[in-house]
Amino acid sequence: MDGPMIEARNLEKRFTVRRHREGAFGAMRSLVDRGGNEVSAVKDVSFSINRGEMVGYIGPNGAGKSTTIKMLTGILVPSSGEATVAGFTPRESRKQLAQQIGVVFGQRTQLWWDLALADSLELLRHMYRVPEKRFRENLNRARELLVLDDFMHTPVRQLSLGQRMRGDLAAALLHDPKILYLDEPTIGLDIVAKARIREFLAALNRETHVTVLLTTHDLADIEQLCRRIIVIDRGQVVYDGELGALRNRFGGKRHVILDFDQDPGDAISTLAGNNLEIVDHNGPRVRVAFDRETTSTPRVLALASHHGTVRDVSIEEPAIEDVIRQMYEGPDSQHP
Amino acid sequence: MRIYFELALRAFRQLFAYQAAMLAGIFTNSVFGVMLSAVYLALFDSHSDGTSVEGFSARETVTYVWIGQALIAPVMIWGWWEIIKTIRTGAIVTDMLKPLSFFGFWLSRDLGRAVGHLLLRGVPTLIIGALFYDLVYPGTPGRWIAFLVSIPFAVIVSFCFRFMMNLWGFWVLDHRGIAGIATVIVGVASGHLLPIAWYPDALRDVFNMLPFRAIVMLPVEIWLGQAGIVEGLGLQVFWILVMTAAAHWLQSVAERKVVVQGG
Ligand SMILES: Nc1ncnc2c1ncn2[C@@H]1O[C@H](COP(=O)(O)OP(=O)(O)O)[C@@H](O)[C@H]1O
Ligand SMILES: [Mg+2]
């Protein structure tokens, strides 16, 4: 297929929030009343994602991430704008599109609570008409990489969150989807479970070139999996590009930790002013922050050498959390 | 098509996990069967012997009571709001992500459930009625078969109505208003509360023109021989066609304005 795998063109979604009515008459009136206030969950979102890309879709709570994904699956109809996904218009071809995509919503499950995981997967095999051989292959890969065997025959309601999520991932991939939407797939998981899921996704993307759109609050997910991120805030895209470039653009300061062989004393404070600031001074250890556009690490080292012998240096990139927070709050952001 | 069978099968099997609920249900239906039978028999007794009321003899009325009690669970005439629940919890999101007919997804599961309820609750309830009362039975094998066929038909009509009531939830977040009204309409117009023939003429004529009689009254009439096999089943088929068409229409309208809860 030519062209991008996922394309969003000026997607907008407004919701009508109904007034709550009290009492019996309220219930009766709510039968016919359709009034209410409009809120824009997604205001204007455009992007284009190619086959095999793994893109992080991030933004604060309520920014419109899930709403965007729902529009890209066809379960929500945009108020305006258009989407093309795997060659389909989601709103018109929800069922055909369903055959091409896998979806995991971290807060929900597509498995059946009352069925054992194995039985749920079997039911999905029929649902997606996956040929027996293909089903075995995909199931075996998932069982191995996601380590499902311990709980294949446990009813889904008894699975831990991490086990359920692994089951859901296996379920989303049974029918070899071209696209995988992951909406907070690591939410609430412990570190081990998160790591296992990240490894699985990285391997999957390498081997099958599945296109992945990933929403998460854990930016470590993004750092380990995605080269490209799209940042959305209040329904609008505020950044679309490489993760590395984001650091440069929205800076955040780089921190250098200097370990002198002895305490450089108060004199070190004269360092400040050369486009850098001293964040912390504790005995021989001094933490310096500077803007990467105006100063470089060698220059900091050169300046520091006037104050003593630097025994060790370590550099800390700005935490991606800080970069993004700065983006929402900083002067560059697009809202007051 | 296989998937719809698999869905039905699992819904059927699932019921076997709730044995205590089944026993409680049989008990309740039987208690009502006994009470209603006692009331009707007392009323008929106060008439002179051999009377029939609008085509129902005492025996036929008691038979009607027990069939009605046996059908309660399979046709699920009391509130069923499973779809609304998924709208509220947001689980509908994952259901709509499946490459299936939404209508077929729910109907197949409801049919599986209905077969389970028929075997686990309907049949035992009717057997209890047959043990303690002198019931009337379908005279011919053809009538037995017609009655058995009329039950899934009744379930489908009932399902279509419940499905449409639930889809209302796409517009209204609080279904209690609809629920109260729907329960009364189905209870009365299906013939569950009283045989439709017993209502005043005007009301009876209205109920005879509504789909609800296909849910309880027609199976009873087929059992008792009051309705011809072809006419009875034919009328059910007619209502199935009308109701599934209506359900699909409402579904397409609802889908166009799908609003699912956040998450
Ligand atoms: N069905 C809905 N009705 C009304 N408002 C909604 C609905 N779904 C989402 N919203 C609102 O739209 C905004 C975006 O929600 P969402 O897409 O879930 O954000 P995110 O996934 O980025 O946290 C939020 O303010 C949310 O309250
Ligand atoms: Mg969300």
Side-chain angles (χ1 to χ4, degrees):
Chain A
M1 196 192 59
D2 292 334
M5 203 51 140
I6 305 175
E7 193 170 22
R9 292 183 297 277
N10 305 105
L11 282 182
E12 185 193 8
K13 181 70 196 179
R14 292 187 303 270
F15 287 113
T16 306
V17 182
R18 282 180 205 76
R19 288 179 294 269
H20 185 74
R21 293 184 190 283
E22 294 292 332
F25 284 106
M28 293 298 285
R29 264 155 69 197
S30 69
L31 288 177
V32 288
D33 181 67
R34 294 177 191 185
N37 301 325
E38 289 232 312
V39 295
S40 270
V42 170
K43 284 202 193 93
D44 182 8
V45 166
S46 301
F47 53 74
S48 167
I49 297 173
N50 289 321
R51 173 161 189 268
E53 273 195 277
M54 205 159 180
V55 176
Y57 192 46
I58 57 181
N61 254 332
K65 303 179 295 293
S66 299
T67 305
T68 311
I69 289 184
K70 284 175 194 162
M71 287 191 280
L72 294 176
T73 61
I75 55 177
L76 263 188
V77 177
S79 308
S80 71
E82 275 303 332
T84 310
V85 178
F88 292 100
T89 304
R91 59 188 297 172
E92 285 161 9
S93 321
R94 194 186 73 228
K95 266 186 276 171
Q96 289 103 303
L97 181 60
Q99 198 73 44
Q100 310 290 334
I101 62 179
V103 187
V104 175
F105 285 111
Q107 284 128 313
R108 318 197 175 298
T109 180
Q110 63 161 320
L111 306 168
W112 284 266
W113 286 114
D114 302 304
L115 300 183
L117 177 58
D119 201 20
S120 271
L121 296 176
E122 175 75 15
L123 199 49
L124 288 164
R125 170 171 91 79
H126 294 296
M127 200 167 281
Y128 289 92
R129 294 195 217 97
V130 185
E132 180 73 40
K133 184 163 170 288
R134 201 75 201 101
F135 175 70
R136 289 284 146 230
E137 286 166 8
N138 286 343
L139 188 60
N140 287 342
R141 181 185 59 193
R143 273 169 48 189
E144 188 185 324
L145 293 176
L146 291 166
V147 199
L148 303 180
D149 283 350
D150 290 347
F151 49 90
M152 275 302 263
H153 300 288
T154 310
V156 171
R157 73 166 73 257
Q158 290 169 20
L159 297 182
S160 74
L161 191 58
Q163 291 173 332
R164 207 213 72 208
M165 192 65 66
R166 277 139 67 195
D168 256 296
L169 266 173
L173 293 164
L174 283 180
H175 56 292
D176 293 309
K178 292 186 182 137
I179 295 168
L180 192 55
Y181 294 118
L182 302 170
D183 195 351
E184 314 224 19
T186 56
I187 194 162
L189 301 190
D190 62 42
I191 293 170
V192 180
K194 277 183 181 176
R196 187 171 276 154
I197 283 181
R198 284 176 199 150
E199 275 163 34
F200 175 74
L201 291 175
L204 180 83
N205 176 255
R206 251 195 328 272
E207 286 163 23
T208 67
H209 301 289
V210 63
T211 308
V212 180
L213 184 62
L214 167 72
T215 281
T216 179
H217 270 110
D218 186 341
L219 292 160
D221 290 345
I222 303 274
E223 289 192 290
Q224 290 181 27
L225 292 171
C226 308
R227 282 185 51 207
R228 175 178 167 197
I229 60 170
I230 298 173
V231 183
I232 174 176
D233 187 25
R234 304 185 202 193
Q236 283 174 311
V237 174
V238 292
Y239 181 80
D240 180 351
E242 295 222 338
L243 186 58
L246 176 76
R247 279 215 183 89
N248 290 336
R249 181 158 147 209
F250 293 92
K253 301 209 169 193
R254 171 176 280 181
H255 284 201
V256 171
I257 298 158
L258 304 164
D259 283 311
F260 290 92
D261 55 359
Q262 56 186 26
D263 189 340
D266 287 346
I268 192 74
S269 58
T270 56
L271 259 187
N274 298 303
N275 277 325
L276 47 80
E277 71 186 278
I278 300 199
V279 181
D280 191 33
H281 174 193
N282 187 2
R285 171 166 286 199
V286 178
R287 181 187 276 263
V288 182
F290 62 90
D291 200 321
R292 41 202 288 158
E293 280 175 13
T294 51
T295 310
S296 67
T297 312
R299 189 170 135 69
V300 174
L301 281 178
L303 289 167
S305 63
H306 299 307
H307 297 273
T309 310
V310 178
R311 193 168 45 78
D312 199 7
V313 186
S314 56
I315 300 171
E316 273 184 8
E317 287 295 340
I320 188 75
E321 279 91 345
D322 294 337
V323 175
I324 286 167
R325 192 176 313 119
Q326 196 167 347
M327 195 154 96
Y328 302 141
E329 294 163 359
D332 285 41
S333 68
Q334 296 175 8
H335 53 77
Chain B
M1 285 318 279
R2 174 76 188 272
I3 177 62
Y4 297 108
F5 172 75
E6 297 286 336
L7 285 166
L9 187 65
R10 281 166 180 80
F12 171 78
R13 278 201 217 128
Q14 207 169 305
L15 288 185
F16 288 82
Y18 302 103
Q19 282 163 7
M22 289 300 157
L23 287 177
I26 294 167
F27 178 75
T28 311
N29 294 153
S30 301
V31 166
F32 271 92
V34 169
M35 279 175 9
L36 290 168
S37 300
V39 169
Y40 287 132
L41 286 174
L43 285 173
F44 272 90
D45 247 356
S46 67
H47 288 261
S48 58
D49 264 355
T51 43
S52 77
V53 178
E54 299 289 343
F56 281 80
S57 69
R59 272 180 75 202
E60 286 167 333
T61 306
V62 171
T63 306
Y64 153 83
V65 164
W66 284 93
I67 295 176
Q69 291 300 318
L71 283 181
I72 283 182
V75 301
M76 210 14 98
I77 60 171
W78 308 132
W80 177 87
W81 302 100
E82 298 300 312
I83 304 178
I84 285 218
K85 268 191 233 158
T86 68
I87 294 173
R88 187 158 311 140
T89 61
I92 194 172
V93 167
T94 54
D95 291 340
M96 300 210 23
L97 282 169
K98 295 179 170 134
L100 287 184
S101 145
F102 190 65
F103 179 82
F105 173 70
W106 285 101
L107 174 61
S108 52
R109 297 202 297 174
D110 199 54
L111 283 171
R113 173 205 62 73
V115 172
H117 271 148
L118 184 68
L119 294 180
L120 296 177
R121 274 186 64 177
V123 170
T125 302
L126 202 52
I127 287 177
I128 290 174
L131 287 177
F132 290 96
Y133 295 89
D134 178 23
L135 304 183
V136 180
Y137 296 95
T140 61
R143 234 168 229 294
W144 274 108
I145 293 169
F147 174 73
L148 284 180
V149 172
S150 78
I151 295 174
F153 284 3
V155 172
I156 295 174
V157 174
S158 143
F159 170 78
C160 288
F161 179 68
R162 285 177 278 133
F163 182 78
M164 287 191 271
M165 290 298 102
N166 274 266
L167 285 202
W168 211 311
F170 279 74
W171 286 271
V172 186
L173 286 183
D174 187 355
H175 70 275
R176 283 170 302 185
I178 315 166
I181 298 167
T183 304
V184 173
I185 292 177
V186 181
V188 174
S190 67
H192 172 78
L193 189 66
L194 292 171
I196 289 179
W198 289 4
Y199 287 104
D201 289 357
L203 218 47
R204 185 188 64 205
D205 292 347
V206 172
F207 291 165
N208 276 338
M209 289 188 312
L210 295 176
F212 306 108
R213 66 182 290 222
I215 299 173
V216 176
M217 212 60 233
L218 282 175
V220 170
E221 288 173 5
I222 288 172
W223 173 292
L224 293 177
Q226 294 176 347
I229 292 175
V230 176
E231 289 86 342
L233 294 181
L235 194 56
Q236 280 189 310
V237 170
F238 168 78
W239 282 120
I240 287 174
L241 294 177
V242 172
M243 293 293 275
T244 49
H248 275 94
W249 170 79
L250 189 64
Q251 177 184 302
S252 70
V253 177
E255 271 182 10
R256 249 177 280 143
K257 78 146 287 163
V258 183
V259 171
V260 286
Q261 290 305 287

